[in-house]
Amino acid sequence: MTKPIRDFSFGEHAVTFDRHIKDSIPGYANLVSRILRDSRRFVQPHTTVYDLGCSSGRTLAKISRVNSSSRNGVRYIGIDCEPGFEPLWRKRRASGLRFETGDARVLPLENASLIIGQFIVQFIPPMDKRALLRRIHDSLVEGGAFMIAEKTLAETPRLQDAVTFSYYDYKLERGFTAEQILVKERQLRGQMTCMSEAELRGALREAGFTEMERIWGEAPFAAFLALK
């Protein structure tokens, strides 16, 4: 009998998540550095900064540290659907950050000057992706920014094949076993539905963003800065 395949749960990796994501995404530290640098430009006083899919809350805490002394009255809110991260939020709440366990598709988003979405839209069902992007756009104040990072599809099958196996080689070099790579791929099947960079740009435009720029990337991952 075939053994049932469980969906992948990031909550099960909560304690070691920060290490897990650095080992899983090439150049991840550079992405976080870029987010921190750009946050200094876009965080506005008396607005809200949201980190959607905040996981451990580490990136949100860093954004708060680099902005709190010069941007008054800013609320920093992290949202994640995995309750397994809640124990990691306790020490960060002590520094004034707020965290909520819930779904970004339904929780209130308002008066935002900066919204971070690291690898979350790829886990939203296709029928809901564009509605979420529209909600994000509409919740931003004038001049607000959305920084989105996603795993993306290549534009052709041959490119996809090259990118996929290069990525597998990277994960093997980072200490993952072939079995771990395969099991995760099977667990993510149906949970993760990616877009190509062109499709992601189109979805952002449909949501109302008229200005966007690719700010980071190492295949199969890319990040965009989209402005309202």
Side-chain angles (χ1 to χ4, degrees):
M1 180 180 293
T2 303
K3 185 178 179 179
I5 301 171
R6 297 183 298 108
D7 281 350
F8 184 81
S9 169
F10 288 105
E12 293 178 4
H13 299 268
V15 175
T16 58
F17 181 79
D18 291 329
R19 174 62 186 272
H20 177 82
I21 195 168
K22 283 194 289 187
D23 286 342
S24 297
I25 298 178
Y28 180 71
N30 293 331
L31 169 61
V32 174
S33 295
R34 180 61 190 260
I35 290 172
L36 297 180
R37 291 197 303 272
D38 284 357
S39 73
R40 292 279 298 155
R41 171 180 286 273
F42 295 109
V43 174
Q44 301 179 35
H46 306 289
T47 61
T48 304
V49 173
Y50 291 99
D51 186 355
L52 308 181
C54 64
S55 61
S56 70
R58 187 177 184 183
T59 299
L60 186 64
K62 288 183 176 182
I63 294 172
S64 174
R65 282 198 294 271
V66 302
N67 286 281
S68 58
S69 63
S70 56
R71 307 290 190 273
N72 296 324
V74 178
R75 298 190 306 158
Y76 296 89
I77 300 176
I79 296 173
D80 203 290
C81 64
E82 288 283 1
F85 289 113
E86 290 178 5
L88 303 179
W89 298 341
R90 291 175 189 146
K91 62 179 180 180
R92 305 200 192 281
R93 285 192 175 108
S95 60
L97 278 63
R98 175 178 156 194
F99 295 95
E100 298 183 23
T101 302
D103 191 330
R105 290 173 291 178
V106 296
L107 287 177
L109 302 175
E110 57 186 5
N111 192 41
S113 58
L114 176 64
I115 298 177
I116 309 298
Q118 294 186 76
F119 314 109
I120 64 159
V121 174
Q122 64 199 45
F123 290 106
I124 300 296
M127 62 184 178
D128 294 336
K129 292 183 192 293
R130 283 167 172 76
L132 175 60
L133 293 174
R134 169 61 72 176
R135 283 193 82 223
I136 290 169
H137 173 272
D138 292 349
S139 70
L140 288 167
V141 299
E142 193 66 30
F146 177 41
M147 301 184 75
I148 177 173
E150 291 283 295
K151 186 176 184 180
T152 58
L153 298 173
E155 298 294 341
T156 69
R158 285 200 297 174
L159 286 172
Q160 185 65 53
D161 184 71
V163 166
T164 297
F165 284 94
S166 177
Y167 179 50
Y168 290 162
D169 287 344
Y170 167 82
K171 294 190 77 172
L172 289 168
E173 292 166 4
R174 299 297 293 181
F176 291 97
T177 67
E179 182 180 6
Q180 287 173 324
I181 294 169
L182 178 60
V183 167
K184 186 175 180 181
E185 288 290 329
R186 295 183 74 193
Q187 289 178 328
L188 287 172
R189 194 179 304 164
Q191 277 187 287
M192 185 169 67
T193 53
C194 300
M195 295 184 279
S196 68
E197 289 191 30
E199 289 171 329
L200 181 55
R201 284 178 179 273
L204 289 168
R205 290 192 188 93
E206 287 179 28
F209 293 102
T210 57
E211 299 178 69
M212 66 193 72
E213 185 67 31
R214 190 181 195 270
I215 57 170
W216 170 88
E218 188 157 347
F221 303 95
F224 290 85
L225 171 66
L227 305 182
K228 182 172 180 178

